[in-house]
Amino acid sequence: MKTTISPTRAVGLVARREFTTQIRKKSFLISNIIILIAIIGGIIAYSVFSGGGDDGNDATVGIVGDQSLAQPLESTGQAMAMTIDVRGLPDEQAARTAVSDGDVDAALLPAADGSVTAITESELSTDLHTVISAAVSSAARQQAMAAQGVDVAAVDQAVSAATVHVDALDPPDPEKGQRIAMSIAAVVLLYMQILTFGMFVAMGVVEEKSSRVVELLLSTVRPLHLLWGKIIGIGAVGLMQLTAYGVAGVATGLATGVLTVTGTAVATLLATLGWFILGYALFAVLYAAAGSMVSRQEDVNSTAMPLMILIVAMFIVAFSTVDNPDSTAGTVLSWIPPFSAILMPLRIAAGVTGPGQIVGTIAIMLVVIGALSVVAAKIYQRSILRIGKVVGWKEALGR
């Protein structure tokens, strides 16, 4: 007598079986540990060698003897968005030692005629050279005015308001570099996860079909329950893996100062996870249908090739819009499934989309997933028990 179980229990049992089978593979565990170490180690290494979130324009300058240049150096540096740390040095030998040991970026030796000799390891950076030159010129000007009996303080107060205010029509985004980095990470991860776990679904279907295990399973559960159990179980593994990668990357980036946009980083991570679920669901049903149409694993590529081409096209389009996510092509395609799955996290990371588009694209994606699920389920039911030759798309869709 045929045993029957409820649909929910049937799907749950199949999903649990697929999930445990995947995570218990030694290769799965080892590869993920290696990838996590690479992610965390790579971010830490970048933080160390790039100085993390520190401003690369900051500098330490030593001054021998008279410290009258200290205030002009600090004020000029501040005007150029640089922090100049001024240190007093007793003599020229101490100055050379400080430069050689890396304690200061440059050491200044003021001369009686107002000129200054800058001691440096190799050469002054452009910004630091500009700051020192401006400070020396300013100090010399103040001394000359004082020598002529001019009230330097009154002059400084009189000209203090003569500053330039910039009104940019398109001001630069100081967070653009971090947004681009997060966009690239989201695109690459989504591409790899959807492609990899979609193929896992197809290969799993073929494996059960070629070994005739599916015939035994279908004596207990319905084809649709088997289909959705497999998709949910394998998808849960992919989501868990992607979550581990994302949390490790974001947490390490924030901890090391490589990432400073906490809100954007968390929003991008959540968007990537959410859109993986939608993108995977869309392709998984199609990969399952493609897998059910063949009886040998080496034949999977013949039916799954159109899906692989589509995923690669999504990746190319997304990568081409990373620098300009608000382009016409990026904006239009982000509304069209399956491109939404990889373009929307990119647009969220870039901050060029709003709640309206997010809700709208999710709704469209769900409708398309529902429609494709009906078609894929029809193909799966008609093809899963057909052993031998490859079932053509026309035959699988036939009435």
Side-chain angles (χ1 to χ4, degrees), residues 275 278 357-368:
W275 281 100
L278 296 175
Q357 184 181 17
I358 294 173
V359 173
T361 50
I362 290 175
I364 295 173
M365 194 77 169
L366 289 173
V367 171
V368 173

Side-chain angles (χ1 to χ4, degrees), residues 178-188 268 322 325 345-347 349-350:
Q178 295 184 54
R179 292 181 184 275
I180 290 177
M182 289 186 290
S183 298
I184 293 174
V187 168
V188 172
T268 302
V322 165
L346 186 155
R347 290 174 60 79

Side-chain angles (χ1 to χ4, degrees), residues 41 57 88 134 200 212 224 263 285 304 340 362 372:
N57 287 329
F200 279 177
R212 300 296 183 94
L224 287 181
V285 294
S340 311
I362 290 175
L372 290 177

Side-chain angles (χ1 to χ4, degrees), residues 40 43-48 51-54 249-259:
I40 296 172
I43 294 174
I44 292 175
Y46 177 82
S47 172
V48 170
D54 295 337
V250 170
T252 307
L254 293 174
T256 57
V258 171
L259 287 178

Side-chain angles (χ1 to χ4, degrees), residues 324-343:
N324 186 19
D326 207 20
S327 64
T328 302
T331 302
V332 173
L333 288 175
S334 65
W335 284 93
I336 303 174
F339 292 93
S340 311
I342 203 166
L343 287 175

Side-chain angles (χ1 to χ4, degrees), residues 5 45 52 68 76 94 108 187 199 213 233 278 338 346 371 374 393:
I5 56 178
S68 60
T76 305
L108 305 183
V187 168
M199 281 301 297
V213 172
L278 296 175
L346 186 155
V374 173
W393 283 100

